[in-house]
Amino acid sequence: MTPDEYCSQKAAASGSSFYYSFRFLPTDRRRAITALYAFCREVDDIADDVSDVNVARAKLGWWRTEVASLFAGHPSHPVTKALVPATRKFAVDSHRLCEIIDGMEMDLSKKRYRDWPELRLYCHRVAGVVGQLSAGIFGYSNPQTLEYAEHLGLAFQMTNIIRDVGEDARRDRIYLPQDELAKFEVPVEHLLAAKHSPAFEALMSFQTDRARSLYDIAFASLPVEDRKAQRAGLIMSAIYRTLLDEIAADGFKVLNQRTSLTPIRKLWLAWKTWVAG
């Protein structure tokens, strides 16, 4: 199996909405974004699946070393081997790759977030940085496009947090800011017990407004001259915003179920967005 085949299998197996946006890209850009996504999956799986924190830290430490090896010219893992062309053609850099690892390390040490600024830092590391790297792979001419990509990444992450509130709580992870839980009078214990209430719905409506605001800021920041190049990101946003709207329309029943779109619907949204340009 070649490094590119390894990354393609990793991306396809995840079932993520991101995979649908890759399908319309030119071959070199598709390979680069698939390799970046595979990198994110590798380090995210460590934070999510390795129960021993010390083992997880050691594994993430190995990935830091492997990133250094990538930029020193001797990568050993299929993912970093597949990333080599992206570092040369699309400005995928070691600092941002290591920032992603920083975000995964936060998952090992933090199960609660005091406020939005603290959560925003986490979202920046695990998603905003990915948005910036992705924008470079898709191509841009105006540096303002990186601001768009950062906010789009934050919006995606907030959508994930809203969707996964129940699933995360079952793993004793609460990403919703503690000061906002207190403001809406939703005790952490209610999340851990999957207790749905009008107060919880109000809290989730507030979080949804934040996510929508981040999408709006992102779209307002995208320069007209880069819109066509950034269509893959716009595909992802079409899928994610539709998911967010469905969660809200369903009354935020996220404590006991996981809302998702069917593959055919994701493909339809992807095609429609790509054709619209």
Side-chain angles (χ1 to χ4, degrees), residues 202-233:
L203 170 67
M204 298 309 293
S205 179
F206 178 81
Q207 304 301 326
T208 299
D209 286 345
R210 169 177 285 147
R212 286 173 173 157
S213 175
L214 289 166
Y215 282 114
D216 290 343
I217 293 170
F219 299 150
S221 302
L222 178 58
V224 173
E225 63 267 30
D226 286 337
R227 181 180 172 85
K228 184 174 182 180
Q230 295 296 316
R231 279 184 298 180

Side-chain angles (χ1 to χ4, degrees), residues 4 23 60-61 86 99 108 119 124 152 206 220-221 238 267:
D4 285 331
R23 300 165 68 97
L60 289 176
E99 268 200 286
L108 302 182
L119 178 60
H124 162 74
L152 195 60
F206 178 81
S221 302
L267 190 58

Side-chain angles (χ1 to χ4, degrees), residues 16 62 194 234 239 254 263:
S16 169
W62 183 89
L234 295 174
I239 293 171
V254 292

Side-chain angles (χ1 to χ4, degrees), residues 12-32:
S14 73
S16 169
S17 301
F18 289 86
Y19 185 63
Y20 292 86
S21 70
F22 303 168
R23 300 165 68 97
F24 298 89
L25 290 168
T27 300
D28 57 343
R29 297 184 191 275
R30 184 173 67 248
R31 286 176 176 169

Side-chain angles (χ1 to χ4, degrees), residues 18-277:
F18 289 86
Y19 185 63
Y20 292 86
S21 70
F22 303 168
R23 300 165 68 97
F24 298 89
L25 290 168
T27 300
D28 57 343
R29 297 184 191 275
R30 184 173 67 248
R31 286 176 176 169
I33 196 66
T34 302
L36 174 62
Y37 181 75
F39 172 83
C40 293
R41 286 262 44 93
E42 292 283 351
V43 295
D44 187 51
D45 287 348
I46 293 169
D48 284 346
D49 300 339
V50 179
S51 56
D52 188 312
V53 172
N54 291 327
V55 172
R57 287 190 189 282
K59 287 179 175 288
L60 289 176
W62 183 89
W63 273 102
R64 285 189 188 279
T65 302
E66 181 62 9
V67 169
S69 296
L70 164 62
F71 287 89
H74 46 83
S76 62
H77 193 278
V79 168
T80 42
K81 289 180 179 179
L83 277 170
V84 169
T87 65
R88 295 170 179 168
K89 293 185 66 175
F90 304 121
V92 170
D93 63 282
S94 62
H95 175 73
R96 288 193 176 103
L97 292 178
C98 286
E99 268 200 286
I100 295 169
I101 297 174
D102 290 341
M104 303 310 166
E105 286 186 333
M106 289 179 74
D107 270 330
L108 302 182
S109 59
K110 293 185 69 63
K111 294 180 181 291
R112 307 286 189 270
Y113 289 83
R114 289 191 309 269
D115 49 29
W116 168 237
E118 191 170 75
L119 178 60
R120 193 186 192 285
L121 174 61
Y122 171 77
C123 293
H124 162 74
R125 288 175 171 173
V126 301
V129 170
V130 179
Q132 293 172 355
L133 288 169
S134 299
I137 291 171
F138 300 151
Y140 67 90
S141 58
N142 189 328
Q144 186 178 322
T145 295
L146 292 178
E147 180 183 343
Y148 146 82
E150 162 79 9
H151 281 93
L152 195 60
L154 297 178
F156 290 160
Q157 190 61 26
M158 278 307 304
T159 303
N160 285 338
I161 287 171
I162 291 165
R163 179 194 63 195
D164 296 340
V165 167
E167 181 180 323
D168 289 331
R170 287 188 287 276
R171 300 160 73 177
D172 196 32
R173 288 183 181 172
I174 307 296
Y175 291 100
L176 302 179
Q178 298 294 291
D179 63 342
E180 293 168 7
L181 290 174
K183 175 183 176 181
F184 286 90
E185 300 182 344
V186 178
V188 167
E189 291 73 24
H190 285 192
L191 301 183
L192 298 177
K195 182 178 179 180
H196 192 95
S197 67
F200 174 75
E201 289 188 22
L203 170 67
M204 298 309 293
S205 179
F206 178 81
Q207 304 301 326
T208 299
D209 286 345
R210 169 177 285 147
R212 286 173 173 157
S213 175
L214 289 166
Y215 282 114
D216 290 343
I217 293 170
F219 299 150
S221 302
L222 178 58
V224 173
E225 63 267 30
D226 286 337
R227 181 180 172 85
K228 184 174 182 180
Q230 295 296 316
R231 279 184 298 180
L234 295 174
I235 286 173
M236 289 185 273
S237 67
I239 293 171
Y240 265 66
R241 286 204 76 160
T242 300
L243 174 64
L244 185 65
D245 290 343
E246 294 222 346
I247 291 170
D250 197 36
F252 302 107
K253 295 183 176 70
V254 292
L255 290 172
N256 294 295
Q257 68 185 41
R258 179 186 172 99
T259 302
S260 61
L261 305 181
T262 63
I264 191 66
R265 191 170 181 194
K266 290 178 182 178
L267 190 58
W268 163 248
L269 287 167
W271 180 82
K272 184 171 69 170
T273 304
W274 186 266
V275 170

